[in-house]
């Protein structure tokens, strides 16, 4: 495979914060790379540099001849009220028919081609941008969070396209499902280092754990060797006959260098105040009709949600998901019918634009303190820490925070209000992978009620206990599981049955291999500990024999024989586990 783009010695800092330090990597033809890292690590900055929109402080980015880069950023400015077709023609200089053909792959057809782009929802605007990229016939796509605002249907279409596409992709996504289904390589930005790994995100995380364990053991051995050598120096260094050997030991000590180990980054540890447990309904609706202005969006809402249920509201972009959630949250008036919340419940609402409404001069501490109300300062500090804001961060203003950090701040403020029910519209947008999964875990363990909209399939899959679907102007209960919903949507989206079966099978195989790999790593670690203990016991017995070789000790000798047998068996088990692990990693 030829190289499309090569990076050497890349460095970039923003003020005192170092994003990258002498990072180097190459992107080859056909690679599908998932770019991960914490909020503020520099993922978007790296994308902009590769696209030529920002300059590094030092280092080189070499775009090889024949490389055609297309960059999908988080924010695109559309001109005035230009229509979809006008936008596509303007940015591509292609004929109308060519633009319409590519747009049709994303269901941008007929009247959709002639509406102003600015009037479309975020998801449909993303479709327009994707169509615009493909019109440039790229062989390297740079995609910055393309799944934000994309409905499941479009995500599945995009996944199918990227899997079959022969070009290379570098994609930022906080949705593990998307990364697992699309990417065969993983790139991580971690405290200034850029690492590129051959394997998906699950394999990469397992590799990091394995590498950390190896490095810790390596350093422990280095410390033991140094200690042993130092004992010799201290014991014999003053003797003239041993002076040369002592100096040699000191040289050996200086050559023994431990591996630098970065402390693992903290994950958010989110605790949500439990609500008063009651076996009763949270909200119920009868013949509910929702909309805005004079427009009716969806009707026939008949449902009852029990307290403690976690309800995912799903459907295509523009179908009315947010309209339904806003109506239930009291942000919009209902058009007809009724809905009733249990009168003992406190509600908290988060939408896609909550983070954008923060005042740039507000500090993290002031915002959280106001949100906390009567709660003590300790509760504010605890919640700030849960969302990875240190005590020294509390004086930072909103203006210096990344999009993900702002989202985390608003979510922390909402949880400080100790609600009984949460209404969440896209809480995972711009939030890093680790926080998305930690939030889903915290919400699933919480005894409160959650009604939520999310385009992150890993988040929905982890949290949802029930599904509402807004489709064709109706609000309905979906009778199956989330996996069954995805399968039905994939068929409707026109993804061939064999392709979908192939994806489902491969995903299942990946999961099985990942779980087997984790199990083998645990087994190997356990066997290594056993071998270490057995070797230590054998060494102690051998020392005893050497110290007093004439002493007869039947029990000691019998134990030594037993140890040798156990050691041989344990070593065989270790080798067998290592061979199995190697086979899995070669698949």
């Amino acid at each position: 495979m030829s190289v499309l783009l090569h990076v050497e010695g890349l460095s970039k800092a923003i003020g005192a914060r170092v994003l990258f330090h002498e990072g180097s990597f190459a992107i080859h033809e056909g690679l599908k790379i998932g770019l991960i890292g914490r909020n503020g690590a520099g993922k978007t900055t790296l994308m902009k540099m590769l696209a030529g929109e920002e300059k590094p402080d030092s280092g080189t980015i070499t775009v090889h001849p024949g490389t055609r880069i297309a960059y999908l950023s988080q924010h695109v400015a559309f001109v005035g009220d230009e229509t979809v077709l006008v936008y596509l023609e303007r940015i591509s200089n292609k004929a109308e028919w060519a633009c319409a053909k590519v747009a049709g792959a994303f269901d941008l057809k007929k009247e959709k081609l002639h509406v102003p782009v600015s009037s479309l929802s975020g998801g449909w605007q993303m479709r327009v941008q994707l169509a615009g990229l493909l019109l440039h016939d790229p062989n390297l796509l740079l995609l910055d969070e393309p799944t934000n605002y994309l409905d499941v249907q479009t995500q599945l279409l995009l996944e199918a396209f990227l899997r079959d596409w022969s070009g290379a992709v570098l994609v930022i996504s906080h949705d593990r499902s998307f990364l697992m289904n699309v990417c065969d390589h993983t790139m991580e930005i971690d405290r200034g280092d850029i690492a590129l790994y051959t394997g998906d995100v699950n394999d990469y995380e397992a590799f990091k754990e394995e590498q950390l364990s190896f490095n810790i053991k390596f350093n422990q051995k280095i410390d033991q060797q140094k200690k042993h050598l130092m004992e010799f120096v201290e014991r014999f260094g003053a003797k003239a006959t041993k002076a040369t050997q002592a100096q040699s030991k000191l040289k050996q000590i200086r050559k023994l260098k431990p591996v630098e180990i970065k402390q693992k980054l903290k994950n958010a540890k989110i605790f949500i105040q439990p609500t008063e447990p009651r076996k009763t309904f949270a909200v119920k609706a009868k013949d509910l009709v929702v909309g805005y202005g004079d427009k009716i969006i969806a009707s026939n809402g008949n449902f009852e949600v029990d307290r403690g249920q976690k309800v995912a509201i799903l459907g295509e972009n523009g179908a009315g998901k947010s309209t339904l959630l806003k109506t239930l949250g009291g942000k919009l008036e209902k058009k007809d019918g009724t809905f009733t919340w249990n009168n003992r419940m406190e509600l908290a609402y988060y939408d896609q634009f909550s983070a954008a409404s923060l005042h740039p001069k507000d500090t993290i501490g002031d915002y959280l303190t106001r949100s906390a109300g009567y709660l003590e300062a300790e509760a504010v500090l605890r919640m700030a820490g849960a969302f990875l804001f240190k005590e020294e961060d509390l004086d930072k203003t909103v203006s210096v925070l990344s999009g993900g950090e702002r989202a985390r701040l608003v979510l922390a403020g909402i949880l400080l209000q100790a609600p009984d029910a949460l209404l969440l519209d896209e809480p995972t947008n711009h939030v890093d992978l680790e926080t998305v999964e930690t939030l889903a875990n915290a919400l699933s363990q919480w005894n409160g009620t959650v009604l939520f909209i999310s385009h992150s399939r890993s988040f929905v899959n982890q949290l949802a206990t029930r599904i509402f679907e807004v489709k064709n102007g109706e609000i309905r209960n979906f009778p199956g599981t989330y996996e069954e919903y995805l399968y039905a949507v994939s068929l409707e989206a026109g993804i061939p049955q064999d392709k979908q079966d192939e994806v489902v099978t491969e995903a299942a195989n990946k999961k099985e291999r990942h779980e087997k790999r984790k199990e083998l790593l645990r087994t190997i670690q356990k066997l290594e500990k056993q071998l270490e203990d057995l070797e230590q016991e054998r060494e102690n017995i051998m020392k005893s024999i050497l110290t007093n070789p004439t002493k007869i000790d039947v029990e000691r000798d019998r134990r030594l024989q037993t140890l040798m047998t156990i050691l041989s068996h344990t070593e065989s088990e270790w080798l067998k586990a290592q061979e199995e692990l190697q086979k899995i990693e070669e698949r």
Side-chain angles (χ1 to χ4, degrees), residues 25-28 30-36 47 140-143 167-173 178-179 182-188 195-197 199:
F25 61 88
I27 298 178
H28 293 76
L31 294 191
K32 307 293 195 300
I33 306 169
L35 177 55
I36 62 173
M47 280 277 195
L140 172 57
L141 280 176
L142 306 177
L143 306 177
V169 179
L170 179 65
V171 56
I172 299 172
S173 177
F178 183 85
L179 292 173
V182 169
C183 300
D184 49 28
H185 285 64
T186 303
M187 183 184 291
E188 184 184 33
L196 179 59
Y197 175 80

Side-chain angles (χ1 to χ4, degrees), residues 315-328:
E316 292 187 15
N317 288 326
K321 304 185 297 294
S322 293
T323 305
L324 172 60
L325 199 65
K326 285 178 182 176
T327 303
L328 294 175

Side-chain angles (χ1 to χ4, degrees), residues 14 78 247 289 299 346-347 376 459 466 515 542 545:
I14 298 177
F78 300 105
Q247 287 300 314
V289 180
S299 60
E346 293 290 332
L347 309 183
E376 296 179 359
F459 184 81
R466 188 174 172 187
E515 292 301 323
M542 293 303 297
I545 292 173

Side-chain angles (χ1 to χ4, degrees), residues 34-49:
L35 177 55
I36 62 173
R38 294 296 178 89
N39 290 137
K43 300 185 296 296
T44 294
T45 301
L46 178 60
M47 280 277 195
K48 287 180 177 179
M49 284 197 229

Side-chain angles (χ1 to χ4, degrees), residues 260-275:
E260 182 183 355
I261 298 176
K262 285 184 177 180
Q263 292 298 315
K264 290 178 69 174
L265 286 169
K266 289 183 179 180
N267 282 335
K269 295 181 179 178
I270 301 170
F271 172 77
I272 308 175
Q273 186 68 36
T275 69

Side-chain angles (χ1 to χ4, degrees), residues 68-334:
R68 301 178 303 280
I69 296 175
Y71 172 46
L72 177 73
S73 65
Q74 293 182 25
H75 308 287
V76 172
F78 300 105
V79 177
D81 289 332
E82 66 182 347
T83 65
V84 171
L85 197 54
V86 169
Y87 168 77
L88 294 176
E89 289 178 292
R90 174 173 66 82
I91 65 163
S92 68
N93 291 318
K94 296 285 179 69
E96 180 179 317
W97 67 267
C99 294
K101 181 179 179 181
V102 172
F106 294 96
D107 204 25
L108 292 160
K109 302 173 182 177
K110 298 177 181 177
E111 65 275 2
K112 271 283 195 300
L113 289 171
H114 304 289
V115 300
V117 183
S118 58
S119 69
L120 297 174
S121 68
W124 281 101
Q125 287 187 7
M126 185 67 76
R127 294 191 192 201
V128 175
Q129 292 179 56
L130 288 166
L133 289 188
L134 298 181
L135 281 165
H136 289 93
D137 188 29
N139 56 5
L140 172 57
L141 280 176
L142 306 177
L143 306 177
D144 192 348
E145 299 195 39
T147 56
N148 281 357
Y149 310 115
L150 281 189
D151 55 39
V152 170
Q153 293 86 338
T154 312
Q155 284 189 41
L156 292 171
L157 285 170
L158 179 60
E159 278 185 9
F161 167 77
L162 292 176
R163 279 194 305 270
D164 294 338
W165 190 51
S166 60
V169 179
L170 179 65
V171 56
I172 299 172
S173 177
H174 301 142
D175 186 344
R176 187 179 294 271
S177 297
F178 183 85
L179 292 173
M180 290 294 293
N181 289 339
V182 169
C183 300
D184 49 28
H185 285 64
T186 303
M187 183 184 291
E188 184 184 33
I189 303 174
D190 179 15
R191 291 166 287 184
D193 292 334
I194 303 175
L196 179 59
Y197 175 80
T198 302
D200 60 43
V201 64
N202 282 355
D203 287 341
Y204 174 67
E205 289 177 346
F207 166 77
K208 279 185 68 178
E209 288 291 331
E210 183 181 353
Q211 194 68 29
L212 177 63
S213 176
F214 174 83
N215 287 341
I216 289 171
K217 287 179 181 177
F218 178 83
N219 283 355
Q220 288 172 343
K221 287 181 180 179
I222 290 289
D223 289 340
Q224 287 173 359
Q225 285 179 271
K226 282 185 175 181
K227 184 180 178 182
H228 176 71
L229 291 168
M230 203 64 209
E231 284 174 355
F232 180 92
V233 173
E234 289 172 352
R235 186 175 179 184
F236 300 109
K239 295 185 177 182
T241 56
K242 298 286 187 179
T244 303
Q245 286 178 279
Q247 287 300 314
S248 175
K249 301 295 185 189
L250 284 172
K251 285 181 181 178
Q252 289 181 47
I253 290 171
R254 285 193 289 271
K255 287 179 180 179
L256 290 173
K257 303 289 186 184
V259 176
E260 182 183 355
I261 298 176
K262 285 184 177 180
Q263 292 298 315
K264 290 178 69 174
L265 286 169
K266 289 183 179 180
N267 282 335
K269 295 181 179 178
I270 301 170
F271 172 77
I272 308 175
Q273 186 68 36
T275 69
E276 186 180 352
R278 288 177 178 275
K279 290 186 177 180
T280 182
F281 78 94
V283 61
K284 52 187 175 183
K286 182 172 176 58
D287 299 327
L288 179 63
V289 180
V290 299
Y292 49 86
D294 296 328
K295 190 172 183 179
I296 290 176
I297 302 296
S299 60
N300 199 31
N302 291 283
F303 54 81
E304 182 170 320
V305 176
D306 294 332
R307 292 185 71 153
Q309 286 189 324
K310 314 298 189 288
V311 184
I313 302 175
L314 307 177
E316 292 187 15
N317 288 326
K321 304 185 297 294
S322 293
T323 305
L324 172 60
L325 199 65
K326 285 178 182 176
T327 303
L328 294 175
K331 306 294 181 182
L332 285 174
E333 292 289 332
K334 62 181 174 58

Side-chain angles (χ1 to χ4, degrees), residues 17 39 362-368 381 384-401 405 408-409:
R17 184 160 58 101
N39 290 137
D362 216 353
T363 68
I364 292 174
D366 288 343
Y367 178 81
L368 292 178
L381 286 173
F387 281 87
L388 306 179
F389 295 115
K390 301 173 186 174
E391 188 169 355
E392 55 266 33
D393 293 331
L394 297 183
D395 291 329
K396 286 183 179 178
T397 60
V398 168
S399 61
V400 303
L401 302 181
E405 288 168 330
R408 289 207 312 263
L409 177 59

